[in-house]
Amino acid sequence: MSATRRPRAGRARGVPRRPAWTATLTWKAAVFITLMCCALAALLGALVHVSVTRQTVDTSREKALSRLEDVTRAYEAGEPLPPFAAVDPVGLPPSLRGLAARGERGTMVADHEGRPTMWAAGPADGRALAVRVDYSLGARTISGLDQAILGSSVLAIGATLLVGWFAVTRVTRRLHLTAQVARRISAGDLDARVNDPRTKDPKRPQDEVATVSGALDTMASSLQGKLLSEQRFTADVAHELRTPLTGLSAAAELLPPGRPSELVRDRVRAMRALTEDLLEISRLDTRSETVDLDVYALGPLAERAVRASGTETTVRVVRDARVETDRRRLERVLGNLLANAHKHGRAPVEVTVDGPVVTVRDHGEGYPAYLLEHGPQRFRTESGSKGHGLGLTIARGQAAVIGAELAFGNAPDGGAQARLTLPEYTDLDADGEDAPPGD
């Protein structure tokens, strides 16, 4: 079925789309865990760095102030100063020199001759009396601590990502299994179940994934029960109608010639055709049909189906192809499509063969919206039209049996268009060339 492509709202042209893997739960969890670990590591690292730095600086400051007191007493007593002390020494930070000139004491960490140094200065006769303490060990301690924090943070983030990936992967694997089972159910495999072990034992606690899996299994079981009940009802009704219809048909043949008898025979034939359609649908529902596959040229098969329909239909073979199919079932599909086109559409009706694709088109009002959206449904037709919706339902079921794809759409210039795509058969000979089509 063809569909008109519409531009998506809210997306500017030329904006590249993100890769599909960025939308996965695993990727989102990895990004979240990484960001949270980085934020936590940065916070803890900053707290440890500030605490240790403050402790190291306080220790060096106390040592420098203690030396400054000893040097001040020696300076006031006129004793010689030790090598680490001097009045207005070279390298004393200007801010600390100004503080001492104002009669106050202070400390500061600064570089002196390429080494980190803790300075302590105080007033001495209008000048600055200063001492220095080597701060290299404290600086190396803080630098080593920063490297240790960075390394441990990287290891912690890696370990957390590994554990988080393992935990998230277990959840996503179960989600993927649930989605896969849901797709199998939607494709018609009503026996598919998740069978999560957490849903089997009522004493075992269930997480959200197990709850979804259990709900999906319950829904599938309920759906399967309803469909099987419907299939049994359809088959039982068809079988029960066969016997009285056979007797009614025989009785109708005994009626005297005339218009009333013709009407009775016509209605009996319609009832018998409806009963056979119901039986065929019940066999398709139970998937009990077997196929007799062989290789045929598609063009002659389409022409044969048109002749068997007894309708005025144009056949056009654009390119013939060899297909592997069940001839009887393929003719059944094409016959139902042709009957629907002539019954509900308008002439001309055209059959086109283009490779392994057969298109049946009429020039009527086209397929109704519900059929294009949901496919053919039994006993549902547009109001006012005659029919039971069984012909297209059987066509779709038989197409699935022979491995073909049947799509319904409307032609751009009007009319219904059914497109049947069959599996093409390619037979390469010794020279590597395709064998010619044949019936």
Side-chain angles (χ1 to χ4, degrees):
M1 178 177 67
S2 60
T4 304
R5 293 183 177 269
R6 297 181 179 178
R8 294 185 177 181
R11 183 179 296 276
R13 291 184 178 180
V15 178
R17 297 184 60 182
R18 293 188 304 170
W21 57 267
T22 59
T24 60
L25 182 60
T26 303
W27 184 84
K28 293 180 179 178
V31 172
F32 176 76
I33 293 173
T34 302
L35 293 177
M36 292 302 297
C37 287
C38 289
L40 183 61
L43 178 61
L44 294 178
L47 292 176
V48 173
H49 174 83
V50 170
S51 177
V52 173
T53 300
R54 180 182 299 173
Q55 187 177 21
T56 304
V57 171
D58 289 345
T59 302
S60 298
R61 179 181 293 113
E62 291 177 358
K63 183 177 180 179
L65 290 175
S66 177
R67 285 187 178 185
L68 180 61
E69 291 179 358
D70 295 340
V71 170
T72 302
R73 286 193 295 267
Y75 176 78
E76 292 175 349
E79 298 177 358
L81 299 178
F84 55 81
V87 177
D88 289 335
V90 178
L92 181 65
S95 59
L96 194 57
R97 189 187 302 274
L99 185 67
R102 293 192 299 270
E104 300 179 4
R105 288 186 176 187
T107 59
M108 179 178 289
V109 178
D111 287 340
H112 178 65
E113 296 179 354
R115 298 171 64 88
T117 302
M118 172 67 75
W119 290 92
D125 298 330
R127 294 182 297 175
L129 177 61
V131 297
R132 62 181 183 272
V133 176
D134 189 10
Y135 192 67
S136 300
L137 180 60
R140 287 196 298 270
T141 300
I142 295 175
S143 177
L145 176 66
D146 291 341
Q147 293 178 1
I149 291 175
L150 180 61
S152 60
S153 298
V154 172
L155 290 178
I157 292 173
T160 306
L161 275 176
L162 184 62
V163 174
W165 176 84
F166 177 75
V168 173
T169 302
R170 291 188 62 186
V171 175
T172 55
R173 186 183 300 115
R174 293 166 58 198
L175 288 175
H176 284 310
L177 175 61
T178 304
Q180 183 180 6
V181 171
R183 284 191 291 267
R184 289 172 56 190
I185 293 174
S186 64
D189 185 6
L190 299 181
D191 294 325
R193 298 291 186 275
V194 180
N195 290 326
D196 194 318
R198 295 168 182 79
T199 62
K200 303 300 181 182
D201 188 1
K203 298 180 180 179
R204 189 172 181 179
Q206 296 184 13
D207 56 8
E208 289 79 0
V209 180
T211 302
V212 173
S213 302
L216 178 63
D217 288 347
T218 302
M219 180 198 70
S221 298
S222 176
L223 178 63
Q224 185 180 34
K226 292 180 180 179
L227 289 179
L228 290 177
S229 176
E230 179 184 344
Q231 292 170 7
R232 285 194 298 268
F233 175 77
T234 302
D236 292 343
V237 168
H239 281 290
E240 291 297 328
L241 286 176
R242 252 185 167 182
T243 301
L245 281 176
T246 301
L248 187 59
S249 177
E253 295 298 331
L254 299 178
L255 293 176
R259 182 60 180 169
S261 61
E262 292 180 1
L263 292 176
V264 171
R265 295 190 188 97
D266 180 67
R267 292 299 87 196
V268 169
R269 284 194 295 269
M271 285 291 295
R272 293 191 66 176
L274 176 60
T275 303
E276 295 299 328
D277 288 345
L278 290 175
L279 287 173
E280 186 172 358
I281 286 179
S282 66
R283 290 193 299 268
L284 292 172
D285 287 340
T286 57
R287 301 177 183 271
S288 59
E289 299 282 63
T290 58
V291 293
D292 182 17
L293 297 178
D294 204 346
V295 180
Y296 302 94
L298 185 55
L301 282 186
E303 294 173 350
R304 174 172 173 170
V306 170
R307 289 195 301 269
S309 68
T311 59
E312 294 183 2
T313 303
T314 304
V315 181
R316 186 167 64 97
V317 179
V318 178
R319 179 176 65 89
D320 204 353
R322 290 167 62 86
V323 294
E324 187 174 12
T325 186
D326 187 323
R327 183 175 65 181
R328 180 181 63 85
R329 298 184 187 277
L330 175 60
E331 291 176 352
R332 174 67 163 157
V333 173
L334 295 178
N336 283 13
L337 295 178
L338 289 170
N340 183 82
H342 283 279
K343 185 175 183 180
H344 300 286
R346 286 197 299 267
V349 177
E350 303 169 351
V351 174
T352 304
V353 178
D354 189 358
V357 180
V358 183
T359 303
V360 179
R361 179 194 172 182
D362 61 57
H363 290 75
E365 298 179 357
Y367 291 118
Y370 80 87
L371 190 146
L372 297 179
E373 184 176 359
H374 303 290
Q377 300 176 26
R378 63 194 70 175
F379 297 109
R380 178 177 179 180
T381 58
E382 286 293 277
S383 58
S385 63
K386 297 180 179 180
H388 306 283
L390 299 181
L392 294 183
T393 303
I394 292 174
R396 185 180 63 175
Q398 293 290 6
V401 171
I402 61 177
E405 179 183 356
L406 180 58
F408 300 96
N410 291 328
D413 54 346
Q417 182 173 278
R419 181 184 178 91
L420 180 67
T421 305
L422 294 104
E424 188 171 6
Y425 179 82
T426 303
D427 184 14
L428 299 179
D429 57 15
D431 296 332
E433 298 179 353
D434 293 343
D439 190 1

